[in-house]
Amino acid sequence: FASYFFMTRGTLIAIEGLDRTGKTTQTTKLINRLAQDGKDVELIKFPERTTAIGKIINTYLTDKTFQLSDESAHLLFSANRWELSQKIYDLLDQGKTVVLDRYVYSGVAYSSAKGLLFDWCYSPDIGLPRPDVVIFLKFKEEENFEREGFGDERYEVAEFQQKVKIQFEKFSGQDNWKPVFVDGKNIEEVGELVWKCYTDATKQALGPVQNGE
Ligand code: T5A
Ligand code: NA
């Protein structure tokens, strides 16, 4: 009973980055490590391609002949997050740690890289649960374009990825934004940096009383 009363909400972690930077690899690693650490953990990947809206998004991403305006595509990606928003709140309320493989920031960065206004892109996502930490996997050089499987989907073109990178950087002033450089680092090394971002973020959540507050 007491533990019910004092149960704190779970931590919300988003892993972000350009295509092929290792988001899914690191999400899986983080989930396993959190579970070993005794956390009750849940993974949600965006786009979530199995929902009603997610199925349309999947067709859009995999079938280059499928026509959709950039605005429509953007709103579908956002709607896909809203489909899952109550589930995220519920899991956090149950004390679960929730790890997101892409989220709002991909939504805004990819669409604004196509030329849509940044603020317009942001507005349909306003009100979604805000992550405690956003771990942004980034590269200095274009190493990830060499990675296996790159180029299979609609957006995987180097020039476009550069534009997406510029838009992602606009989030770098947010206090929950934690960049991790992946250049020349193996999966284990990146995993250690990702883990440090998580542990630092949970320490920050328990910050001290400030003088004068
Ligand atoms: N999109 C998405 C929007 O436009 N708006 C939105 O709102 C959202 C949510 C699909 C597309 O949708 C767009 C963005 C995307 O273009 P997706 O399904 O997440 O989004 O697809 P991808 O980003 O293409 O995801 P990938 O699975 O291709 O890339 P990951 O997850 O970043 O990379 P991962 O972990 O699969 O690794 C890629 C390869 O690199 C190796 C892995 O083994 C793998 O072969 N690798 C490493 N190699 C060397 N060193 C390391 N440190 C490595 N880490 C991984
Ligand atoms: Na992925």
Side-chain angles (χ1 to χ4, degrees), residues 102-201:
R102 289 196 190 271
Y103 196 45
V104 170
Y105 314 93
S106 282
V108 177
Y110 282 78
S111 293
S112 55
K114 294 179 195 169
L116 301 181
L117 288 176
F118 187 89
D119 289 345
W120 184 88
C121 293
Y122 216 159
S123 60
D125 278 2
I126 289 170
L128 287 169
R130 183 181 194 264
D132 296 289
V133 58
V134 183
I135 302 169
F136 178 55
L137 304 184
K138 66 184 289 189
F139 53 90
K140 285 178 194 136
E141 308 301 328
E142 278 61 41
E143 184 194 302
N144 67 327
F145 304 143
E146 309 297 319
R147 284 195 184 158
E148 186 192 336
F150 189 84
D152 295 342
E153 281 194 342
R154 186 177 286 258
Y155 298 147
E156 292 179 344
V157 177
E159 192 191 353
F160 181 67
Q161 292 291 311
Q162 243 352 90
K163 290 184 180 167
V164 177
K165 190 181 177 190
I166 290 165
Q167 298 304 321
F168 264 128
E169 292 299 344
K170 293 182 180 173
F171 295 107
S172 64
Q174 296 194 359
D175 61 0
N176 59 357
W177 192 261
K178 303 292 168 204
V180 166
F181 287 101
V182 302
D183 307 68
K185 296 191 180 75
N186 65 32
I187 290 168
E188 294 303 317
E189 290 166 333
V190 177
E192 285 304 318
L193 294 173
V194 167
W195 186 252
K196 190 175 184 308
C197 288
Y198 160 73
T199 54
D200 285 353

Side-chain angles (χ1 to χ4, degrees), residues 5-18:
F5 241 71
F6 294 109
M7 190 167 74
T8 50
R9 73 156 174 88
T11 308
L12 182 61
I13 306 159
I15 300 214
E16 280 284 11
L18 296 172

